[in-house]
Amino acid sequence: MSKSLLEQLPGIVAAGKRQAAQILEQLEGRNRVSLQTRELVIPSKDRGGFNFWGNDGADAADTPNRLIYGDNLLAMAALLAGDEGTPSLRGKIDLIYIDPPFDSKADYRTKITLPGTTIDQKPTVLEQFAYSDTWSDGTASYLAMITPRLVLMRELLSERGSIYVHLDPTVGHYVKIVLDEIFGKRNFQREIIWRIGWISGYKSAAKNWIRNHDDIYFYVKDRDHFHFNKQYIPYPDDYVRRDGNRPTGQGYPIEDTWNSSEMDRLDSIQIMSFSKEKVGYATQKNESLLERIITASCPEGGIVADFFVGSGTTSAAAEKLGRRWVVSDLGKPAAMITRKRLIDQDAKPFLYQAIGDYQVEQARSALGRSFRVGDLAKVVLDLFGALPLPPEENMNGSLGRLPGTRTLVYADSPSRLTTISTLKRAQGYREVKMGGFDKVVVLGWNFSAGIGQDIKDLNDPNLEVLVIPPDLLDRLKKKGAGKLTSDVRFSSLQYLQAEIAARTTDGERESLAVNLRNYVLLSPDAINLDQANRAKLQDVMNSEPLALIEYWAVDPDYDGEVFRSVWQDYRGNTENDGDELRVVTTAVLDLPQADGPRTVCVRAVDVFGFESEVVISGVEVQP
């Protein structure tokens, strides 16, 4: 007889704590998780004075705000570990708000509107496997997902810190048991009821009492020291007490049931179609909700975190209230929407980061913590159809050959970026291994953003570069290598083309004009689309490839390390040309005059979240 969920719960919590403990043990070791900075985004018009790397990493408060793409478990591990440039955030975060997914039947497919067509994209392979794992065994697997994450959140909270966990009745009462175990019953403060409001989309479908609220569980790190700024609703001008006198004081103190009366008219759960906040994200919450929570539980100068950031409401509200923030999400659409939303409101400069060694962490999960990169290379070569070279020609097991051909295959390590140095090394292997080969194929996991330009510059028709499927390790974990050979597809890389149209000077200022010329999407087979939507995509690729660009940015003084975006445009921004479905294809930057040539980097993100860049060196002033 199978155990009930309540009988399973102690084991689930214990396993989650063990998982979190293992992560915490690795924070100081060689295998700690790191963050890779993809971009320093500078939306504000005043771009001076943002030298975040001149403080020797002395204090977490001196580092920029951060938007992190990737599994929040790994993101939190990286934040706890810190690195040379940014200190650990252990015990530094004053407020955590999370709105984790709680509807196992939700459809998170994304609609992408392109000129002349709409494409339905299923979740990316990374999102799909994470989501299927979350609900594979119903509520039990959901609790197994959330438990270790809550443990790490407690480690990140300061002694004055608070956490608000936003749920619905589907899983809320089970999660509260977990919260009691991790934070302690004595640190539970309130169950907040947030009413849906006066308009309810649930009424027509309901067959009994109308659902009209969500639950928000409010816990603190230490009930004797937590920060709380009591909130009041100002009395209306015509408000009087029963005795006919007007009350004195700050107003009506807010209770734990929100949007429950004519006096407390907090915005509804539902984002109205006419709302200026609406960004088209299915689970978007109102900024007024986060403004209330942040004002109450994060002191001025404090740090707010959200590890299921979705549409970016937490970061947007924290930014407006002058609080520091760090947010993350597993979904690429969420990361793109959040970035655009912050640019729209002229946010202070912030970092866009990703998990530095994502595939390494996946490999450790799929193959065990003691996995060897060479073992994984053999699996990749076998799935590609290559036979390993003899051991004397193949010290780390990364080289193979296609049977019956003179084609060498090089499987790169998941712990490294595939860069131009990797490609040159592969070219060298092609010339010397086993008397020489005619062609070399490089299979990579993670690529430098400018790899497309590097491949073009090498101009080698006997060099092919392909992407190892990003879901491969998840599939190995679920199915094993023997069942994958027939359906594993290695795809080509995306590629961006851009040019400098003009660089001219006028007194102490100069103008730099940059043109987008072309964009080549990676193989459509690598995108999670059905056949009909893949055909629609192919039509756009053939007729108007630049319509696939979701966002692009320019760094006019690229140092080869950190991309500092001082100009951005994105679909939906109508300030430049009024076209919501296309980006402008020319950027004109007004810059302080610089001596000597510039190195300009152009970076783009397509509608599916794939990044590419091109670096243009030696850009001189034109007469």
Side-chain angles (χ1 to χ4, degrees):
M1 184 175 177
S2 59
K3 291 183 178 180
S4 70
L5 185 57
L6 283 177
E7 289 174 313
Q8 296 178 60
L9 197 53
I12 291 171
V13 173
K17 285 184 171 181
R18 286 195 300 271
Q19 184 181 0
Q22 291 171 354
I23 292 171
L24 293 171
E25 288 174 5
Q26 295 158 5
L27 294 184
E28 303 302 322
R30 182 173 60 88
N31 292 330
R32 69 182 183 183
V33 183
S34 62
L35 292 174
Q36 177 189 90
T37 296
R38 297 278 185 88
E39 186 176 337
L40 170 60
V41 186
I42 308 177
S44 58
K45 304 300 184 245
D46 177 12
R47 301 184 179 106
F50 299 125
N51 179 22
F52 294 117
W53 289 272
N55 52 50
D56 298 324
D59 193 314
D62 294 330
T63 59
N65 297 323
R66 288 188 266 184
L67 166 61
I68 303 168
Y69 164 63
D71 186 333
N72 54 22
L73 193 68
L74 302 180
M76 285 187 279
L79 293 172
L80 285 164
D83 55 37
E84 294 179 1
T86 51
S88 167
L89 286 184
R90 184 193 290 265
K92 301 290 187 182
I93 292 176
D94 298 296
L95 169 64
I96 296 174
Y97 166 86
I98 58 170
D99 177 22
F102 46 71
D103 182 359
S104 62
K105 300 176 292 299
D107 181 3
Y108 288 104
R109 99 173 32 215
T110 302
K111 285 188 179 296
I112 299 171
T113 302
L114 297 169
T117 190
T118 298
I119 292 174
D120 284 331
Q121 182 195 6
K122 299 174 185 177
T124 65
V125 287
L126 190 59
E127 296 168 279
Q128 191 176 40
F129 275 100
Y131 192 66
S132 64
D133 280 347
T134 299
W135 288 106
S136 60
D137 194 24
T139 303
S141 54
Y142 179 88
L143 296 173
M145 177 278 293
I146 201 71
T147 299
R149 288 162 171 81
L150 290 171
V151 173
L152 297 189
M153 289 178 208
R154 188 182 184 281
E155 292 292 322
L156 287 164
L157 277 181
S158 68
E159 290 306 307
R160 63 183 180 180
S162 304
I163 183 171
Y164 289 73
V165 183
H166 190 147
L167 297 161
D168 80 345
T170 308
V171 294
H173 43 299
Y174 294 110
V175 175
K176 186 184 183 303
I177 296 173
V178 177
L179 288 164
D180 282 343
E181 179 68 23
I182 293 170
F183 288 89
K185 289 183 179 179
R186 72 186 299 271
N187 291 317
F188 170 65
Q189 296 298 304
R190 293 288 183 271
E191 177 186 16
I192 296 166
I193 304 300
W194 185 29
R195 294 188 70 237
I196 291 172
W198 312 111
I199 301 174
S200 173
Y202 299 100
K203 290 182 179 178
S204 59
K207 296 180 179 179
N208 48 61
W209 307 117
I210 306 301
R211 180 198 157 196
N212 203 22
H213 78 277
D214 276 359
D215 301 302
I216 303 174
Y217 295 106
F218 168 32
Y219 283 77
V220 297
K221 181 81 168 279
D222 183 347
R223 73 174 185 180
D224 297 324
H225 298 99
F226 72 97
H227 171 88
F228 192 82
N229 178 27
K230 194 171 183 178
Q231 300 292 289
Y232 297 85
I233 299 169
Y235 295 119
D237 293 338
D238 59 352
Y239 184 79
V240 293
R241 297 187 313 220
R242 291 182 179 180
D243 60 8
N245 295 317
R246 181 166 174 78
T248 59
Q250 299 181 57
Y252 184 81
I254 296 176
E255 301 172 346
D256 60 6
T257 303
W258 295 352
N259 193 8
S260 61
S261 68
E262 288 291 341
M263 191 170 291
D264 183 11
R265 295 302 301 271
L266 181 71
D267 287 344
S268 163
I269 286 175
Q270 296 177 319
I271 297 283
M272 302 305 171
S273 59
F274 51 79
S275 172
K276 292 182 179 179
E277 296 177 28
K278 191 174 180 68
V279 296
Y281 196 84
T283 58
Q284 181 180 354
K285 300 299 185 292
N286 287 289
E287 285 184 24
S288 58
L289 171 71
L290 272 301
E291 287 170 358
R292 175 172 290 187
I293 292 171
I294 292 169
T295 303
S297 290
C298 183
E300 293 185 11
I303 303 177
V304 180
D306 184 346
F307 300 106
F308 298 88
V309 75
S311 63
T313 301
T314 300
S315 50
E319 181 75 26
K320 290 177 180 177
L321 292 170
R323 269 61 166 190
R324 305 297 312 288
W325 51 265
V326 54
V327 298
S328 73
D329 205 286
L330 180 66
K332 282 190 175 180
M336 288 195 292
I337 287 169
T338 299
R339 176 164 54 184
K340 291 191 297 183
R341 187 170 181 176
L342 291 163
I343 291 170
D344 252 352
Q345 69 181 62
D346 279 342
K348 293 184 179 68
F350 61 92
L351 295 179
Y352 174 56
Q353 299 180 304
I355 307 303
D357 293 322
Y358 215 106
Q359 274 77 23
V360 172
E361 293 304 315
Q362 282 186 303
R364 288 178 182 141
S365 174
L367 307 175
R369 302 301 301 183
S370 61
F371 93 100
R372 294 179 299 177
V373 171
D375 294 337
L376 185 56
K378 291 175 184 176
V379 173
V380 172
L381 291 172
D382 181 58
L383 291 172
F384 191 70
L387 300 174
L389 296 192
E392 62 272 15
E393 299 273 5
N394 196 14
M395 290 185 61
N396 60 5
S398 62
L399 295 173
R401 58 181 178 84
L402 291 180
T405 73
R406 296 297 299 169
T407 298
L408 180 68
V409 183
Y410 174 51
D412 203 6
S413 166
S415 62
R416 290 195 301 263
L417 283 177
T418 299
T419 65
I420 189 169
S421 298
T422 313
L423 305 185
K424 290 180 176 179
R425 187 183 313 119
Q427 288 175 317
Y429 290 152
R430 180 184 62 193
E431 303 304 318
V432 301
K433 293 294 182 180
M434 297 182 66
F437 287 83
D438 297 333
K439 179 180 179 179
V440 61
V441 179
V442 177
L443 308 176
W445 297 88
N446 309 287
F447 295 85
S448 59
I451 194 71
Q453 181 69 42
D454 295 333
I455 295 169
K456 180 176 180 292
D457 292 342
L458 287 174
N459 192 27
D460 184 349
N462 294 317
L463 168 69
E464 184 177 8
V465 182
L466 297 176
V467 183
I468 297 169
D471 64 330
L472 180 59
L473 290 166
D474 287 301
R475 293 163 75 181
L476 285 172
K477 183 177 180 180
K478 290 176 182 293
K479 296 183 179 180
K483 299 180 180 179
L484 292 180
T485 305
S486 61
D487 60 354
V488 172
R489 296 175 177 176
F490 296 79
S491 60
S492 58
L493 278 160
Q494 64 271 18
Y495 175 58
L496 179 71
Q497 290 180 312
E499 63 183 4
I500 303 301
R503 181 188 173 195
T504 58
T505 61
D506 181 11
E508 296 182 352
R509 309 293 295 179
E510 67 174 67
S511 177
L512 181 72
V514 183
N515 289 341
L516 289 183
R517 291 183 54 207
N518 192 25
Y519 179 67
V520 179
L521 184 66
L522 85 172
S523 302
D525 286 348
I527 302 170
N528 200 8
L529 301 172
D530 59 27
Q531 187 172 353
N533 283 289
R534 190 169 291 125
K536 293 179 186 179
L537 174 60
Q538 192 66 57
D539 287 343
V540 178
M541 291 171 61
N542 294 337
S543 63
E544 195 179 352
L546 288 178
L548 296 170
I549 299 295
E550 175 72 24
Y551 166 93
W552 70 291
V554 180
D555 179 350
D557 296 295
Y558 186 51
D559 62 6
E561 295 182 5
V562 178
F563 181 87
R564 291 169 169 82
S565 165
V566 302
W567 181 97
Q568 313 90 15
D569 189 43
Y570 50 88
R571 296 190 334 135
N573 178 19
T574 56
E575 289 187 5
N576 292 320
D577 65 353
D579 188 341
E580 293 186 349
L581 298 182
R582 298 173 177 86
V583 296
V584 297
T585 56
T586 298
V588 180
L589 284 70
D590 176 37
L591 304 166
Q593 186 173 337
D595 296 330
R598 288 184 181 270
T599 297
V600 179
C601 184
V602 181
R603 182 169 291 183
V605 184
D606 67 32
V607 294
F608 301 104
F610 298 108
E611 297 183 17
S612 55
E613 74 176 31
V614 57
V615 178
I616 306 169
S617 302
V619 179
E620 301 281 0
V621 174
Q622 298 172 359

